Amino acid sequence: ILYVEDEIAHVLLTERTLEENLHQEFHLIHTEKVADALKLLDTEPDIDLVLSDLRLPDGTGLELLKKIRERKEPPAVVLVTGQGDQEVAVAALKAGAADYLVKQSDYLHRLPVVISNAIAQNRYLREQEALYRAEFKYQSLVEQIPAAVFLCEAPDAETTIYMSPRIELTGYTPDEWCTDPDIWIKTLHPEDRERIVERDRISEHAGSRFLEEYRFIRRDGKIIWIKEEARLIRDKAGVPLYWHGILFDITKEKESEAALQRQVKELAVLHSASLAASNALQFDELIEQVTNVIGNTLYPDNFGILLFDVESSTLRAHPSYRGTSRENLSILIPANKSITGKVALTAQSIRLGDVTKEPLYFEVTTGVQSELCVPILVRGQVIGVINTENKKCNAFSERDERLLTTIA
C-alpha cells in the first residue's frame, strides 16, 4: 500500500489502524508528494493500492489519480478528503477511483474495509483483463489455423461452448453448432454414423482421446472427409472441465489416396486383361477371365459382357455376367429397346448418371441408378458391349469410360 500524505501524524494513525484491523499481511510505503509517488510506482510494480490525500504539496490527489489511471495495469486508488470536498470526491469516482473517505471522526474505522474492498475489486478487474487478453490471443490463434477448433461441456460433450469460424467448411455457422446439440450426429454420413457414435461413447465414458476419420454431409449435400481429434481437459484436482477438439477437412487427401488406389487397381486390371488375352485358348474363356478380374476389382455390383447378334439385332448376356439372375442371363434383349442395344447399333459409348430418366433402360437388377456401356469392336464391327451398373447416382466418370474403352 502506498500512502501519499504530507502530514506524518495521519500516516502513523493509519498504519496503526491497519495493523490492528486489516486481516491480511501488508506493507505500507509513504511519500509526501505526487512526483515521489509516481517515481515509486515506476520502481515498485507490485503496489496493490494507492491511498492519497486530496491536497498535496505539489498537486492534488485527483491529478495523481489521473496519472495513475493512464498506466498499463494501474493499482486501485482511494482518495482521502476533508470536509466540504465531497464534490471533488464524486469527480474522483468518475475518474476511476475505487473509493473515497472523508476525514471525520470515524474514518479510520472504515479504512480497513474500504482498502480490502478496493484491493479485491482491482485484483478481480486485473484477472478479468488478463483472461480477456488470453481469450483474445487464443481466438486469434485458432481462427488462423486451417481447421475448426471447438470446446464442449464435460463430461458428455453434448453442449458446444465455442466453435471457431472455420466450421463453415461444413456449411453451418458457429451459432448453429452451439445451439443445436444434435447437429453433429445428424450430419454424419449414414455409413459411418454407428461406428463414430460408438467410438464417441467409449471416449466420453473413459475420458480418453477421440481420434477418428469419417464422412460428413455438408448443408449443400456435398460429402467431405473430416479428421477429428478431441481431448478431455481437467483441472488440477482431476475434475473434467471441457472437451477441446479440432476438425480437419481431409477431403483432398482422401481423394488423392482413393485416386492412387484406383490407379493401382486399373493397372492391375489392364495387366490381367492383357494376360488373359494372351493365354486364353477360347473366346468364352477370355470373356470369363476378363469379367471376373474387372468385376472383382472395380465393379462388383453389376458387370459383364453382352454379345451382339447382328442378324437378329439382339443381345444376350454372357454366362459369366455378374450381378443378375440366371433367368435374366437367358433373355434375348432387342437392340432397339435397351441402352446396351443402342450402344451396339451406334458403336458409341453411353454413360448415364440416372437411368430412371432414360426410357430405353432395361432393368435386370433392382435399385440400379447409373449405367456405363461401351462397344467391343473387331475390325470396325461391333461384336458386343461391356456393361456395368451401380445403385448410386452418377457412379461412373470419364475415367471409368476411358478404362472400359481401352479394355474393349
Side-chain angles (χ1 to χ4, degrees):
I1 300 173
L2 171 61
Y3 192 6
V4 189
E5 169 64 69
D6 61 339
E7 294 186 23
I8 193 64
H10 285 294
V11 177
L12 295 174
L13 285 172
T14 297
E15 188 171 23
R16 184 183 303 169
T17 301
L18 295 178
E19 287 174 350
E20 294 175 354
N21 299 282
L22 190 62
H23 303 297
Q24 55 184 303
E25 187 177 345
F26 75 96
H27 175 55
L28 187 68
I29 305 172
H30 170 237
T31 63
E32 295 185 358
K33 297 179 180 180
V34 171
D36 294 338
L38 293 174
K39 289 180 182 178
L40 194 61
L41 287 171
D42 290 334
T43 59
E44 297 286 345
D46 296 331
I47 290 175
D48 292 301
L49 179 131
V50 175
L51 184 66
S52 176
D53 190 43
L54 180 61
R55 293 181 172 82
L56 298 167
D58 61 342
T60 67
L62 191 58
E63 292 171 346
L64 176 61
L65 166 66
K66 291 178 180 178
K67 290 184 180 296
I68 290 174
R69 295 298 299 171
E70 292 172 357
R71 292 174 174 263
K72 185 177 180 180
E73 292 185 351
V77 178
V78 174
L79 285 184
V80 181
T81 69
Q83 294 285 353
D85 291 328
Q86 284 85 347
E87 289 185 4
V88 178
V90 171
L93 290 176
K94 291 181 179 179
D99 209 339
Y100 74 94
L101 287 166
V102 179
K103 286 182 180 177
Q104 52 191 20
S105 58
D106 64 341
Y107 92 96
L108 289 175
H109 296 293
R110 295 182 54 233
L111 184 61
V113 175
V114 170
I115 288 178
S116 296
N117 290 342
I119 291 175
Q121 180 184 8
N122 194 60
R123 285 178 177 173
Y124 173 75
L125 292 175
R126 284 184 177 182
E127 290 172 359
Q128 290 297 108
E129 178 65 22
L131 179 62
Y132 171 78
R133 287 198 300 269
E135 289 178 346
F136 180 78
K137 288 181 180 178
Y138 174 80
Q139 186 170 342
S140 299
L141 174 64
V142 301
E143 290 179 5
Q144 295 302 315
I145 62 176
V149 178
F150 64 88
L151 298 175
C152 291
E153 286 185 354
D156 55 15
E158 289 185 0
T159 303
T160 303
I161 304 170
Y162 169 77
M163 181 64 77
S164 70
R166 293 280 182 174
I167 196 59
E168 291 180 357
L169 64 91
T170 66
Y172 296 92
T173 66
D175 286 343
E176 287 175 304
W177 277 89
C178 292
T179 55
D180 185 354
D182 298 324
I183 190 170
W184 180 68
I185 292 178
K186 291 189 297 187
T187 47
L188 288 173
H189 193 283
E191 294 178 9
D192 296 338
R193 185 176 294 132
E194 183 178 351
R195 172 179 63 87
I196 294 301
V197 169
E198 177 61 16
R199 283 291 298 115
D200 183 59
R201 185 193 65 78
I202 293 172
S203 178
E204 288 178 5
H205 179 74
S208 58
R209 177 191 183 197
F210 179 87
L211 179 61
E212 293 293 333
E213 296 178 359
Y214 53 82
R215 286 165 291 180
F216 183 96
I217 304 175
R218 284 173 43 96
R219 184 196 293 276
D220 59 9
K222 181 181 177 183
I223 297 173
I224 60 174
W225 275 93
I226 295 290
K227 181 178 182 178
E228 177 179 345
E229 180 175 5
R231 296 175 184 270
L232 182 61
I233 307 301
R234 304 174 185 268
D235 63 15
K236 293 181 180 179
V239 177
L241 296 176
Y242 51 83
W243 285 92
H244 179 272
I246 188 165
L247 304 172
F248 293 95
D249 183 352
I250 58 170
T251 306
K252 289 184 178 179
E253 290 87 339
K254 284 291 185 180
E255 288 175 347
S256 298
E257 180 183 322
L260 180 59
Q261 292 176 352
R262 171 76 181 203
Q263 187 176 18
V264 171
K265 289 181 179 180
E266 289 177 357
L267 291 172
V269 164
L270 289 171
H271 177 67
S272 298
S274 297
L275 289 177
S278 302
N279 299 328
L281 300 177
Q282 296 182 349
F283 187 53
D284 285 340
E285 182 184 355
L286 171 61
I287 292 176
E288 184 176 356
Q289 288 183 17
V290 170
T291 298
N292 289 336
V293 167
I294 300 175
N296 289 333
T297 308
L298 297 175
Y299 309 112
D301 289 347
N302 180 301
F303 180 83
I305 292 174
L306 295 93
L307 298 176
F308 180 49
D309 186 331
V310 178
E311 291 184 4
S312 63
S313 192
T314 59
L315 293 103
R316 182 194 297 273
H318 189 269
S320 62
Y321 198 103
R322 305 161 62 96
T324 189
S325 65
R326 288 186 175 275
E327 290 77 9
N328 287 330
L329 292 177
S330 61
I331 296 175
L332 285 176
I333 305 173
N336 61 351
K337 293 184 179 180
S338 66
I339 300 297
T340 53
K342 186 175 181 180
V343 170
L345 292 173
T346 62
Q348 297 294 320
S349 300
I350 293 179
R351 176 162 48 94
L352 297 174
D354 185 358
V355 297
T356 61
K357 297 178 180 180
E358 176 52 62
L360 285 177
Y361 175 68
F362 185 85
E363 183 178 283
V364 295
T365 304
T366 57
V368 164
Q369 297 289 321
S370 304
E371 182 174 11
L372 172 60
C373 187
V374 300
I376 303 173
L377 296 164
V378 175
R379 298 184 183 91
Q381 297 295 317
V382 176
I383 65 166
V385 297
I386 298 177
N387 189 66
T388 181
E389 300 177 10
N390 196 288
K391 294 184 179 181
K392 294 180 180 179
C393 283
N394 300 306
F396 305 111
S397 65
E398 289 184 14
R399 183 169 183 167
D400 293 291
E401 187 173 336
R402 287 196 300 270
L403 176 65
L404 291 188
T405 300
T406 300
I407 293 171

